[in-house]
Amino acid sequence: MKQFNKISMESLNNYRNSYENNKMSKIATKALSKTSIEDVCYDTISAAKMNHKFSIEIPTMKVCNQKSSGRCWLFAALNTLREEIGKKTNVENIEISQNHISFFDKLEKANYFLETIIETADRPVNDRLVNWMLASPVSDGGQWDMFVALVKKYWLVPKEAMPETYQSNHTGSMNRILNTKLREYAAELRKMIADGKNINDVEARKDEMLGEIYNILSVCLGNPPKSFDFEYVDKDNVYHVEKDLTPETFYKKYIDVNLDEYVSIINAPTATKPFNKAYTVDHLGNVAEGNPICYLNLEISEFKKVVVEQLKNNQVVWFGSDVGKFGSGKEGIWATELYDYETPFGIAMNMNKGDMLDYAQSSMNHAMVITGVNLIDGKTPDKWKIENSWGDENGNKGYYIMSDDWFDKYVYQACVNKKYLSKEQLDILNEDKIVLEPWDPMGTLA
């Protein structure tokens, strides 16, 4: 084993002298002794530039609240689709049941996990893929293509048909129980296979396990309805009701969006991911028979061009970003100049987007909806309007704003209609996809 170099006393004295001779460090020490780093570094001038005035702004409904759950990707995706219901019913506000789609996401993820455990049973338990799966058998997060797979299999229902429960709003304890059981099941299935049990017996036992998972989910979230009545009052105060709808008939009548027309574009400027190539992620999914994850990697200028085109055509955009950087939840702002960390600490923070991905400094961790953009001279974006799913107490009644330079650095993915892509870009989607490892930063779940 390599002998590490130690910190010498000479170096330690140099560090101490450098600090003691730095007036700004002394001032910063006093300020930070009684105040948070964010409050000291907050730049009010930069914040003032982030006002809610946009040259393109799509009217949208009241923001939702995912509460203490990680279901942002589902909330954001459903928020794009509920606008279609609004057009067909003339309602002021409506929500599609997040609980319904979350139920089936958890069930499908459990099956996907157990199938992977069976597939990899010949590998040691400390194999990297096996270890990766065991680290988090099921979670709240997901990807756009996973959402599409769920909708195409289970369709959707209005929120009233399967409302939120305490457990859907606070998923931590439920997830711990699910993951405890799934790891227990994994150990059992691997032992069955190691003992030479027939594969049919293994699959039969897996089916029993999924029945137990279904029961846990039903206890926590409720049993998904097979049919329901859809009642609503429109903006003219006229009451409507339609009896005995199914999730499929509800979707086809009130939403009717062909999700196969949409594709995920990403901006991942790393050496291992050339632009203008299509990618997928190994062992990332939920519905076993769903389409694999598909990304089209574009340079940021092309990426934003497609997003703007969709907004110009009055259609909001699902997107994923890293909201943990340079943001104020209370003010509802994300901007790279919002906090000046460099002055009090006497440092430069120059890490580029590609290095942030490669060195685990940043990755996508939250999905939201872009509902507007301000274009300087009708061409160049300088700020974007965001529909979040953290309730209406922060930002502008729950709507947030991000600067264009923050977009460049921390936005990684967006879902767009294929009609806004060029012929060359569409042709790339038909090429063989480059397979990324499950632990690649672009395999992160929002």
Side-chain angles (χ1 to χ4, degrees):
M1 183 181 232
K2 179 186 181 297
Q3 183 67 44
F4 288 173
N5 293 325
K6 64 182 181 180
I7 299 176
S8 69
M9 296 307 296
E10 181 182 0
S11 292
L12 190 62
N13 286 329
N14 289 337
Y15 306 154
R16 185 187 301 275
N17 291 334
S18 177
Y19 165 77
E20 291 179 347
N21 292 324
N22 189 320
K23 290 184 179 180
M24 178 53 70
S25 294
K26 295 289 188 63
I27 294 171
T29 300
K30 293 176 181 178
L32 292 174
S33 67
K34 294 290 185 180
T35 313
S36 73
I37 290 177
E38 283 67 32
D39 283 347
V40 168
C41 297
Y42 189 80
D43 189 328
T44 55
I45 296 175
S46 295
K49 298 176 183 178
M50 296 291 100
N51 58 70
H52 282 260
K53 296 178 177 63
F54 306 91
S55 58
I56 298 174
E57 187 172 8
I58 302 171
T60 46
M61 299 180 185
K62 182 179 178 181
V63 299
C64 304
N65 194 340
Q66 68 187 76
K67 297 189 178 179
S68 297
S69 74
R71 300 171 294 160
C72 59
W73 63 293
L74 293 174
F75 272 73
L78 294 174
N79 285 346
T80 67
L81 295 182
R82 68 174 175 161
E83 300 298 333
E84 298 301 318
I85 301 177
K87 296 173 185 176
K88 292 179 173 63
T89 61
N90 193 36
V91 294
E92 184 174 352
N93 191 63
I94 192 170
E95 290 186 40
I96 303 171
S97 175
Q98 303 92 357
N99 190 20
H100 170 265
I101 202 74
S102 298
F103 181 104
F104 289 113
D105 176 56
K106 288 286 197 298
L107 182 65
E108 289 287 351
K109 281 176 178 170
N111 179 64
Y112 198 97
F113 168 78
L114 294 176
E115 284 293 318
T116 303
I117 290 299
I118 294 170
E119 175 198 2
T120 59
D122 60 338
R123 303 188 188 189
V125 73
N126 64 350
D127 172 81
R128 187 168 187 183
L129 176 58
V130 176
N131 194 257
W132 178 262
M133 297 299 297
L134 291 172
S136 182
V138 300
S139 68
D140 288 349
Q143 272 288 346
W144 173 261
D145 287 312
M146 295 163 67
F147 171 75
V148 173
L150 290 168
V151 173
K152 290 172 70 174
K153 184 170 184 176
Y154 297 105
W155 307 98
L156 298 173
V157 304
K159 188 170 186 175
E160 289 78 6
M162 190 169 176
E164 295 285 277
T165 70
Y166 182 89
Q167 305 307 326
S168 69
N169 283 326
H170 306 80
T171 55
S173 294
M174 176 182 67
N175 287 346
R176 283 192 290 274
I177 293 170
L178 290 171
N179 286 327
T180 297
K181 287 303 297 181
L182 286 169
R183 293 185 183 107
E184 177 187 321
Y185 295 153
E188 181 182 343
L189 291 175
R190 284 174 61 89
K191 187 175 187 305
M192 288 180 69
I193 294 170
D195 291 343
K197 297 292 184 182
N198 185 282
I199 189 61
N200 292 331
D201 293 335
V202 174
E203 288 290 349
R205 177 65 186 119
K206 188 209 76 170
D207 189 61
E208 293 174 352
M209 294 170 175
L210 287 176
E212 293 178 354
I213 295 296
Y214 187 100
N215 187 67
I216 294 170
L217 292 171
S218 294
V219 169
C220 289
L221 306 179
N223 201 18
K226 289 185 176 180
S227 63
F228 54 89
D229 297 340
F230 179 41
E231 298 178 85
Y232 64 93
V233 176
D234 64 26
K235 293 177 182 177
D236 298 321
N237 206 34
V238 177
Y239 169 82
H240 303 263
V241 61
E242 188 159 2
K243 300 283 188 178
D244 296 321
L245 286 175
T246 66
E248 181 177 1
T249 56
F250 172 75
Y251 186 91
K252 290 183 175 179
K253 181 169 183 177
Y254 291 100
I255 301 175
D256 194 30
V257 173
N258 181 3
L259 295 176
D260 289 330
E261 294 178 352
Y262 292 80
V263 67
S264 287
I265 56 174
I266 61 171
N267 176 246
T270 66
T272 58
K273 299 179 191 68
F275 290 124
N276 300 313
K277 297 288 184 183
Y279 297 85
T280 189
V281 183
D282 189 31
H283 285 92
L284 179 64
N286 51 2
V287 180
E289 67 271 31
N291 290 334
I293 298 295
C294 177
Y295 298 140
L296 173 62
N297 195 17
L298 298 178
E299 295 188 55
I300 195 65
S301 58
E302 286 297 310
F303 185 105
K304 290 194 289 188
K305 177 182 176 183
V306 176
V307 171
V308 169
E309 283 303 309
Q310 185 156 310
L311 292 172
K312 283 182 175 179
N313 281 274
N314 203 40
Q315 188 175 8
V316 298
V317 179
W318 182 102
F319 80 107
S321 62
D322 180 359
V323 297
K325 308 294 190 298
F326 294 92
S328 168
K330 181 180 179 181
E331 301 297 330
I333 297 172
W334 287 287
T336 56
E337 296 181 355
L338 190 60
Y339 297 101
D340 175 15
Y341 297 115
E342 299 187 356
T343 298
F345 293 106
I347 57 174
M349 302 179 74
N350 298 322
M351 203 169 195
N352 63 47
K353 191 173 187 176
D355 284 346
M356 286 195 298
L357 287 171
D358 283 341
Y359 289 88
Q361 170 59 20
S362 181
S363 63
M364 187 176 74
N365 54 34
H366 189 54
M368 300 176 286
V369 180
I370 301 174
T371 67
V373 61
N374 189 60
L375 301 176
I376 302 172
D377 297 327
K379 297 179 181 179
T380 307
D382 69 342
K383 56 187 176 180
W384 306 74
K385 183 180 179 182
I386 308 302
E387 178 183 1
N388 205 347
S389 55
W390 292 344
D392 59 5
E393 294 182 359
N394 294 321
N396 184 6
K397 297 182 179 179
Y399 282 85
Y400 288 57
I401 186 170
M402 66 178 169
S403 67
D404 189 59
D405 53 356
W406 193 93
F407 187 119
D408 290 346
K409 200 158 189 177
Y410 296 110
V411 170
Y412 293 106
Q413 180 180 358
C415 176
V416 297
N417 194 302
K418 293 177 183 177
K419 67 184 179 182
Y420 301 115
L421 299 177
S422 68
K423 181 183 182 305
E424 292 75 17
Q425 291 166 342
L426 290 172
D427 288 342
I428 294 170
L429 296 174
N430 295 321
E431 298 175 359
D432 290 340
K433 295 172 182 60
I434 299 171
V435 181
L436 304 175
E437 298 286 5
W439 40 86
D440 187 275
M442 297 317 296
T444 303
L445 299 179

